[in-house]
Amino acid sequence: MSSAVVCAPYIRLFIVKRDICGCPVENKFCVLVVDHMESKGVFLHAGGSPAGRCMLRKPCKRIHFTFRPRFCSVKPRAVVMSEPKAPAPAPGDTYKGWLFKWTNYIKGYQRRWFVLSNGLLSYYRTQAEMGHTCRGTINLATANIAVEDSCNFVISNGGAQTYHLKASSEVERQRWITALELAKAKAVRMQAESDDSGDDCPTSPTASGQGGTSRNSEVQSTLRTLGSKVEDLSTCNDLIAKHGSALQRSLSELEGVKLGGETGDKIRQVTERATLFRITSNAMINACRDFLALAQAHSKRWQKALQAEREQRVRLEETLEQLAKQHNHLERAFRGATVLPSSQSSGSGKGDVSDEDDENEFFDAMEDVQEFITVPADPKYHRSPCSCHSLCVSEFPVKKRRTRIPDKPNYSLNLWSIMKNCIGKELSKIPMPVNFNEPISMLQRLSEDLEYSELLDKAAKCQSSLEQLCYVAAFTVSSYSTTVHRTGKPFNPLLGETFELDRIQESGYRSLCEQVSHHPPAAAHHVISERGWTLRQEIALASKFRGKYLSIMPLGTIHCIFEKSNNHYTWKKVTTTVHNIIVGKLWIDQSGEIDVVNHKTGDRCHLKFAPYSYFSRDVARKVTGVVTDKEGKAHYVLSGTWDEKMEFSRVMQSSRGGENGTEGRQKTVYQTLKARELWRKNPLPEGAETMYYFSSLALTLNESEDGVAPTDSRLRPDQRLMEQGRWEEANAEKQRLEEKQRSVRREREREAARTTNPTEEDNYKPLWFERCDDPVSGEATFTYSGGYWEAKDQCSWEQCPDIF
């Protein structure tokens, strides 16, 4: 017989005439148990002299067994059984692995990932699902574990849940059975302790205060942990006794078995029980090792804690002694002090006391000023410390913005009667009542892109253009987070309508929007920040109603320029889709791809917004991206969702993976550092579900404000009436404004008929924006021509048209 290299624990059955020492055994069968983990083997047999039981002890990790032909009468039977490389489950540890779970008669057994933790057995389709989707969980405290055959076992909790499971081998099944029995025993014990804990009285805080209570709770927690370890040892001890007795009975039966049909069954029984005994013994050893390590660690910790308590007590006694001496000296000095004359005490004495009080207030104010000037993020907005806190407040009054609007009324409306004749038309050409709207205009909705303007503030401070690109990409994603629950349609702006957003005091920027075209509808937007960046965009909306859903395709380019580095970024928006227009609950999805390009350096960030799919296993609203330089080398990987957060990881190495992606392309594998958070969505205000799901910024957009242009969206009467819940009046005002706009347009067309190019575009000139060719993108776009903020400072609005 050729030599066999032992790479895993195994058991073999031989029909031999002599044992490994050469002693005759009269054709009895023997079992050879080899464990490479322990660097030794055990030779067991059912007959022959006692010298036939031999222990093979070799120091090497691989043991070679050679069986000479003269020792064997027949060839070995029973195949080698290899155990998995996973370690044996330790008591209290989480145990994970693949098992086959019975699903139905069509699919049969399916491979699933199982996790055993804290007395609960859960399963997932893949390991990647552990973070978000659990397919089922069973509590072992009330479950019954039954073994069916060599690889199958059943877990049931009284009929409500039953898992028919199958392991890849007998040994793997035994590992799971052992882990499940240990977890069940611990779960039952913890449940009993939980039931008894209601009778225990809570420990009252001692005179030592919070520190003593904290130390007491720490000691109690440690004692509970030690007690749990002792219980684990007790459970392992019971299992060892149980499996040891079963193994002994099987071995005894083995000695009297003759060669026949029942030989295979008995040998399999010996195999699984011997393996189970060894696994349980290893668990017992691991538990003892953990207990010893924990005891030793806490023993040293308690000694240090006791020594620290003693030293603290000595210091406290010395401090009390010094305080007593100081009190004695003060009392003597007070008794020997000279009494002031009555005139001084009634006149200047009061003045002295007042001065002393003023001095105390002065120092308090100084401390407050230091706290106040360190709050802003950018140092250039800090003012030098002053001696009066109230003066700082009066110089920089911050307007208190509103945090609520009237709740949305519950008005019923026959949606199909309005929408059935509108299929295939553009959204801007559909006459809709305010019932479908939210009380802000499209210009205000466009200004909501600045909800997370602090991302651009951080980008302006970045020294690396690649890292700056990550923050710009996160800003592009953050603009969609406000739309996740916003199913209402904003008001279509009237031609010439404007909206200003002055947040210089709060966030350091000013924003201006103007409706520069009506057909097709287009708005120009310009933002200037004192923190080193400028944002401008022209957005034209193309929309189509398809019956079941509404698609909104933003057209136009967004530009972001940073003053310090002169980096110029451009990108476009993705498609927004509103589903279940006619039947079902409305929901919004964003899908498409965005390329954020730095035209100065050639850096690029490719973002992909994955469309929602019921059959996809990915996280909903998922966004992924890669930041590359002009040579195409990846430097950062972005991941997250457009409604919650975005993270970025630095790429250390990239390679082509072996798994094919779509269209036969290979997937790129990036080795990255630990991910860092770029952006996280702010929580919605309390009661947002009754306020159109507005964010904190959106709640302030339609707030009345003095000094704005007469064309500002805040002054729209139909929008204001809708916000106040007066929807019938709002619908009437909406019709009046639309008819007024149509009459103005007809008049403008009549004026245009007298010219050589009778088009509305040539006739109408925006007030604050002008059309010019962009030097970067090469597109003809509207850019801010200036003058708005100067007109506001002078309250000079004579040039503004009468649109309301």
Side-chain angles (χ1 to χ4, degrees):
M1 181 178 175
S2 60
S3 63
V5 179
V6 179
C7 297
Y10 69 86
I11 299 173
R12 275 188 175 176
L13 168 67
F14 296 92
I15 306 298
V16 299
K17 291 183 177 180
R18 296 177 182 274
D19 62 16
I20 202 167
C21 294
C23 303
V25 293
E26 299 178 357
N27 291 330
K28 300 292 184 180
F29 63 89
C30 303
V31 179
L32 180 63
V33 183
V34 181
D35 190 344
H36 79 285
M37 297 296 292
E38 302 292 338
S39 300
K40 62 185 179 181
V42 181
F43 185 85
L44 307 174
H45 69 97
S49 63
R53 295 183 174 89
C54 304
M55 295 293 293
L56 302 179
R57 301 179 182 275
K58 293 189 178 182
C60 57
K61 292 185 178 180
R62 293 187 176 183
I63 307 172
H64 298 267
F65 294 89
T66 303
F67 298 91
R68 300 178 182 177
R70 65 184 179 87
F71 285 164
C72 304
S73 60
V74 295
K75 292 184 178 180
R77 290 187 290 181
V79 185
V80 174
M81 297 184 300
S82 298
E83 291 184 356
K85 295 183 179 180
D93 292 345
T94 299
Y95 194 57
K96 307 175 183 178
W98 291 103
L99 288 173
F100 292 89
K101 180 182 179 295
W102 175 264
T103 55
N104 52 53
Y105 286 99
I106 298 177
K107 296 183 179 180
Y109 283 96
Q110 296 293 322
R111 192 166 180 254
R112 296 291 183 261
W113 179 256
F114 280 81
V115 177
L116 174 60
S117 178
N118 297 325
L120 299 176
L121 180 65
S122 306
Y123 76 93
Y124 311 83
R125 286 185 178 176
T126 62
Q127 299 184 46
E129 281 191 348
M130 291 179 60
H132 53 84
T133 306
C134 178
R135 302 292 174 176
T137 301
I138 191 169
N139 189 353
L140 295 179
T142 58
N144 182 31
I145 305 171
V147 178
E148 287 189 335
D149 53 25
S150 59
C151 295
N152 294 49
F153 59 101
V154 179
I155 303 176
S156 176
N157 62 352
Q161 288 177 294
T162 301
Y163 294 167
H164 294 267
L165 306 176
K166 181 170 66 175
S168 57
S169 65
E170 295 182 19
V171 176
E172 180 64 14
R173 187 207 66 180
Q174 296 302 335
R175 287 185 180 275
W176 275 103
I177 293 296
T178 301
L180 290 169
E181 287 182 350
L182 289 172
K184 178 180 178 180
K186 190 169 184 178
V188 172
R189 184 172 65 250
M190 292 178 65
Q191 186 175 9
E193 291 177 355
S194 177
D195 295 339
D196 296 340
S197 63
D199 300 333
D200 299 336
C201 295
T203 305
S204 59
T206 60
S208 58
Q210 186 176 1
T213 304
S214 176
R215 290 188 293 271
N216 186 33
S217 62
E218 181 181 358
V219 172
Q220 294 296 331
S221 176
T222 303
L223 291 177
R224 284 194 298 269
T225 304
L226 293 176
S228 175
K229 290 295 181 181
V230 171
E231 293 292 341
D232 289 341
L233 294 177
S234 177
T235 303
C236 290
N237 184 51
D238 295 340
L239 291 174
I240 287 178
K242 173 184 173 182
H243 298 315
S245 301
L247 179 62
Q248 187 62 41
R249 288 195 302 269
S250 297
L251 292 177
S252 300
E253 295 174 1
L254 193 60
E255 293 180 356
V257 171
K258 297 180 180 180
L259 293 177
E262 60 180 344
T263 303
D265 295 336
K266 291 296 181 181
I267 293 306
R268 280 195 298 270
Q269 188 178 8
V270 170
T271 298
E272 71 178 40
R273 291 186 176 178
T275 305
L276 184 60
F277 183 80
R278 185 183 59 77
I279 293 174
T280 310
S281 301
N282 288 339
M284 179 73 172
I285 294 172
N286 292 335
C288 291
R289 186 183 297 113
D290 293 342
F291 181 86
L292 181 60
L294 187 62
Q296 290 176 346
H298 282 284
S299 176
K300 297 178 181 178
R301 187 175 180 180
W302 289 335
Q303 290 178 4
K304 293 181 179 179
L306 180 60
Q307 182 63 27
E309 290 288 346
R310 290 176 179 173
E311 294 176 356
Q312 185 176 1
R313 180 178 178 180
V314 172
R315 288 195 298 268
L316 182 60
E317 291 176 351
E318 293 176 352
T319 303
L320 289 175
E321 185 178 357
Q322 293 177 1
L323 287 175
K325 292 179 180 179
Q326 292 176 5
H327 182 270
N328 189 21
H329 290 322
L330 289 174
E331 188 176 1
R332 291 180 179 178
F334 177 76
R335 290 176 179 176
T338 304
V339 180
L340 292 174
S342 58
S343 59
Q344 293 181 357
S345 62
S346 59
S348 61
K350 290 184 180 180
D352 293 342
V353 173
S354 176
D355 292 341
E356 182 179 353
D357 292 341
D358 291 341
E359 186 178 8
N360 290 336
E361 291 177 0
F362 172 79
F363 283 113
D364 289 342
M366 285 294 292
E367 291 178 0
D368 290 341
V369 169
Q370 293 295 330
E371 237 176 74
F372 173 77
I373 64 172
T374 57
V375 171
D378 200 322
K380 74 179 184 179
Y381 300 103
H382 293 181
R383 291 296 182 111
S384 58
C386 60
S387 60
C388 180
H389 186 201
S390 59
L391 179 59
C392 293
V393 175
S394 62
E395 287 183 359
F396 296 98
V398 178
K399 181 177 179 180
K400 187 176 181 180
R401 305 290 177 179
R402 67 180 184 180
T403 58
R404 287 200 62 85
I405 61 174
D407 291 346
K408 177 182 179 181
N410 186 16
Y411 289 130
S412 60
L413 185 67
N414 189 349
L415 181 63
W416 180 243
S417 64
I418 299 174
M419 304 294 290
K420 64 182 179 180
N421 297 322
C422 302
I423 297 177
K425 296 182 180 180
E426 287 191 15
L427 184 64
S428 60
K429 297 182 179 180
I430 301 176
M432 288 191 177
V434 299
N435 302 56
F436 297 107
N437 288 19
E438 56 184 11
I440 59 174
S441 73
M442 190 61 201
L443 301 181
Q444 293 167 316
R445 188 76 173 260
L446 191 61
S447 301
E448 276 192 80
D449 287 358
L450 302 171
E451 173 89 17
Y452 300 95
S453 63
E454 66 270 11
L455 290 172
L456 297 181
D457 296 342
K458 294 178 181 178
K461 298 178 182 179
C462 290
Q463 301 296 325
S464 167
S465 62
L466 292 167
E467 185 177 354
Q468 184 181 74
L469 181 53
C470 293
Y471 282 99
V472 176
F475 174 78
T476 67
V477 176
S478 69
S479 62
Y480 298 99
S481 64
T482 59
T483 67
V484 61
H485 299 296
R486 301 275 289 281
T487 55
K489 186 182 81 69
F491 280 78
N492 291 333
L494 303 173
L495 187 62
E497 184 176 333
T498 62
F499 177 72
E500 71 161 73
L501 186 63
D502 191 345
R503 292 294 188 269
I504 285 291
Q505 296 178 6
E506 298 95 328
S507 304
Y509 68 82
R510 279 178 170 177
S511 166
L512 177 65
C513 291
E514 182 179 2
Q515 187 74 1
V516 294
S517 174
H518 187 64
H519 287 296
H525 186 202
H526 182 82
V527 189
I528 181 68
S529 173
E530 293 183 348
R531 299 179 184 178
W533 54 268
T534 301
L535 183 75
R536 56 183 173 86
Q537 58 180 321
E538 178 190 342
I539 298 297
L541 297 179
S543 56
K544 289 293 182 180
F545 174 53
R546 300 300 184 185
K548 291 184 179 180
Y549 63 90
L550 173 71
S551 295
I552 303 172
M553 293 77 71
L555 307 175
T557 304
I558 306 172
H559 298 256
C560 185
I561 304 99
F562 293 93
E563 297 176 2
K564 185 177 180 181
S565 60
N566 202 30
N567 288 330
H568 190 145
Y569 298 90
T570 63
W571 67 91
K572 297 178 182 292
K573 289 181 175 287
V574 296
T575 300
T576 300
T577 306
V578 184
H579 295 268
N580 295 342
I581 295 292
I582 302 300
V583 180
K585 183 178 180 180
L586 293 175
W587 60 278
I588 292 179
D589 193 24
Q590 312 287 349
S591 59
E593 298 182 359
I594 295 178
D595 280 317
V596 185
V597 182
N598 185 344
H599 292 273
K600 178 184 177 182
T601 62
D603 303 335
R604 180 183 300 265
C605 178
H606 182 74
L607 294 170
K608 183 175 181 180
F609 290 67
Y612 175 80
S613 173
Y614 178 79
F615 301 100
S616 176
R617 297 181 180 180
D618 287 336
V619 180
R621 309 181 183 96
K622 183 179 180 180
V623 180
T624 56
V626 179
V627 174
T628 56
D629 56 22
K630 62 181 179 180
E631 284 82 17
K633 180 182 178 181
H635 291 267
Y636 291 95
V637 173
L638 281 69
S639 61
T641 57
W642 54 263
D643 68 321
E644 185 179 356
K645 66 175 181 178
M646 288 294 293
E647 296 177 338
F648 74 126
S649 307
R650 186 174 183 84
V651 176
M652 304 306 296
Q653 186 177 357
S654 63
S655 60
R656 291 286 182 180
E659 182 182 356
N660 289 336
T662 58
E663 302 178 0
R665 295 178 296 179
Q666 288 184 325
K667 294 182 178 179
T668 304
V669 178
Y670 297 106
Q671 296 181 3
T672 63
L673 298 177
K674 185 178 180 181
R676 291 185 294 162
E677 189 173 273
L678 273 172
W679 159 77
R680 180 177 290 274
K681 180 184 177 182
N682 297 327
L684 290 175
E686 184 178 356
E689 61 278 0
T690 64
M691 298 185 294
Y692 308 89
Y693 286 98
F694 279 180
S695 64
S696 298
L697 175 63
L699 288 175
T700 66
L701 294 179
N702 204 44
E703 184 177 10
S704 298
E705 189 166 330
D706 297 333
V708 298
T711 55
D712 197 90
S713 300
R714 299 176 179 89
L715 304 177
R716 284 190 62 153
D718 53 348
Q719 187 172 298
R720 181 65 61 188
L721 288 170
M722 184 202 171
E723 181 184 279
Q724 296 171 357
R726 300 156 62 182
W727 284 15
E728 293 183 1
E729 300 174 56
N731 277 317
E733 278 296 315
K734 183 173 181 293
Q735 294 179 6
R736 181 186 67 82
L737 291 176
E738 290 173 350
E739 181 57 35
K740 181 178 180 180
Q741 182 175 234
R742 284 190 286 268
S743 63
V744 172
R745 181 181 181 183
R746 288 192 294 267
E747 179 63 28
R748 189 164 51 249
E749 289 174 349
R750 285 193 292 268
E751 291 289 335
R754 304 186 184 96
T755 64
T756 56
N757 297 319
T759 62
E760 179 188 355
E761 181 179 358
D762 291 337
N763 243 309
Y764 179 77
K765 300 295 183 183
L767 193 57
W768 311 111
F769 289 83
E770 61 182 359
R771 196 171 187 84
C772 59
D773 293 334
D774 185 77
V776 174
S777 63
E779 301 173 347
T781 181
F782 284 95
T783 58
Y784 179 60
S785 57
Y788 177 86
W789 303 106
E790 292 77 6
K792 182 180 180 181
D793 292 340
Q794 299 173 7
C795 295
S796 176
W797 304 115
E798 293 82 5
Q799 67 272 40
C800 293
D802 179 19
I803 61 175
F804 299 144

